[in-house]
Amino acid sequence: MRNRRNLTAYAFLLPSLFGVFAFLLLPVAIVAGVSLFHWELLDSPTFTGLANYRRLVHDGGVRHSLLVTVFYVLLTIPVQTILAVVLALLLNQRVRGVKFFRALYVVPWMATPIAMGLVWSWIFDPANGALNKFLSVVGIDGPAWLNDTTFALPAVAAVQIWQYTGYNMLFFLAGLQGIPAELYDAAATDGASPLRQFVHITLPLLNPTMFFVLVTNVIGSFQVFDTLYVMTEGGPGDSTEVLNFRIFQTAFQQFDFGYASAMAMLLFALILLITLLQVRYFNRRTTYDIS
């Protein structure tokens, strides 16, 4: 009987296991294999062993792209996470019209990255963009935004924050609604202020949601490409050239697939390491039992 239940469970898991193998493990194995070759697409691949990885160590351009990527992640993740929590707290109130605002904040997430990048490129246009025209009304000369090496990356980061804050808010809202009201009633009876209730009840019980949001958002930010490609194409100069963009250039403009694969494996290893650190951190602090 027990064996039959196990077989049934494995049968239900089979489609998911096939997906993990076909769309995750197999592509990673192929990219890892290609990274050991010098391959310019039209020529036959030549086995070079770890030469591409030794080249990575001495490549200043890759180090620069890696720093830009990390800076981009640090710009986006804390801001959009804090804003999502604040929005979820505000929209968790039982007031009239709250459902409209919940839907309104999710609309940016529905926009396609290409269309969104085009619209925001116009908004950030230094001469005719809506943002600088608005700033000029209040007496401020706006910068060149996407044409300025100082402001280009924060401008792209602002677009991601705008797009994903409402989406993340949905998860925090679901987490808040799963916390029993009796806990807050008991805390209020004991004289706990709203701030103490937030620190000692809300935040600890939101840890499972926080874990999911941070892991998925960090992975997504390290893989940013489409919006950034439309808005800046890595410029001005190389100020917004994240590692994903450099991989694209190396593979599809310079046709150096072996070296691009080595860079992809570097990005994969970095994301995997950060994800494992997040898992370890939250495993020690997360409880799923609120009984």
Side-chain angles (χ1 to χ4, degrees):
M1 187 66 179
R2 185 174 179 180
N3 289 337
R4 179 177 291 180
R5 281 206 302 267
N6 288 339
L7 287 174
T8 305
Y10 285 125
F12 279 109
L13 284 173
L14 198 57
S16 298
L17 292 175
F18 174 78
V20 169
F21 174 78
F23 301 112
L24 178 63
L25 298 181
L26 184 59
V28 169
I30 292 173
V31 171
V34 173
S35 71
L36 302 177
F37 288 82
H38 176 72
W39 186 24
E40 295 184 353
L41 190 61
L42 297 180
D43 299 329
S44 298
T46 306
F47 182 75
T48 56
L50 298 177
N52 285 325
Y53 292 96
R54 286 195 292 271
R55 183 179 164 191
L56 271 181
V57 175
H58 302 288
D59 193 333
V62 170
R63 283 198 296 275
H64 170 78
S65 295
L66 200 55
L67 287 175
V68 172
T69 307
V70 171
F71 185 49
Y72 179 81
V73 173
L74 293 176
L75 278 176
T76 54
I77 298 302
V79 177
Q80 74 186 32
T81 304
I82 292 171
L83 286 177
V85 172
V86 172
L87 270 179
L89 289 170
L90 292 174
L91 296 177
N92 195 35
Q93 309 302 314
R94 292 182 180 178
V95 295
R96 191 171 184 180
V98 72
K99 291 182 179 178
F100 169 76
F101 288 102
R102 288 175 185 172
L104 184 65
Y105 282 111
V106 182
V107 169
W109 173 66
M110 300 177 184
T112 61
I114 303 297
M116 190 180 59
L118 291 172
V119 170
W120 278 96
S121 295
W122 171 75
I123 293 174
F124 282 121
D125 186 276
N128 302 307
L131 182 56
N132 275 5
K133 285 188 181 298
F134 171 77
L135 291 175
S136 67
V137 171
V138 294
I140 299 174
D141 290 330
W145 298 112
L146 302 179
N147 298 324
D148 189 310
T149 55
T150 304
F151 291 95
L153 192 65
V156 177
V159 174
Q160 174 172 319
I161 293 167
W162 170 81
Q163 184 180 18
Y164 287 101
T165 295
Y167 173 70
N168 293 324
M169 177 271 297
L170 282 181
F171 294 105
F172 286 119
L173 188 60
L176 287 173
Q177 294 183 349
I179 300 175
E182 293 80 6
L183 294 177
Y184 294 105
D185 294 338
T189 304
D190 290 339
S193 65
L195 180 60
R196 286 178 65 88
Q197 292 178 29
F198 175 75
V199 172
H200 295 289
I201 297 176
T202 306
L203 278 183
L205 295 181
L206 274 183
N207 264 348
T209 309
M210 189 71 75
F211 168 64
F212 172 79
V213 168
L214 285 179
V215 167
T216 54
N217 278 256
V218 167
I219 292 172
S221 291
F222 268 103
Q223 295 175 337
V224 62
F225 176 77
D226 36 21
T227 305
L228 185 142
Y229 179 78
V230 172
M231 293 181 68
T232 67
E233 294 187 28
D238 56 0
S239 60
T240 62
E241 194 174 81
V242 295
L243 191 55
N244 224 9
F245 188 78
R246 183 172 285 273
I247 293 170
F248 167 78
Q249 284 183 313
T250 306
F252 298 105
Q253 292 178 357
Q254 301 168 13
F255 300 106
D256 192 348
F257 281 86
Y259 193 47
S261 298
M263 283 191 273
M265 290 307 299
L266 171 67
L267 183 60
F268 172 75
L270 181 63
I271 293 174
L272 181 63
L273 174 65
I274 293 175
T275 302
L276 291 176
L277 290 175
Q278 288 177 300
V279 170
R280 180 167 182 169
Y281 175 84
F282 278 100
N283 271 347
R284 296 177 176 179
R285 293 165 176 80
T286 301
T287 177
Y288 297 90
D289 183 9
I290 56 175
S291 60

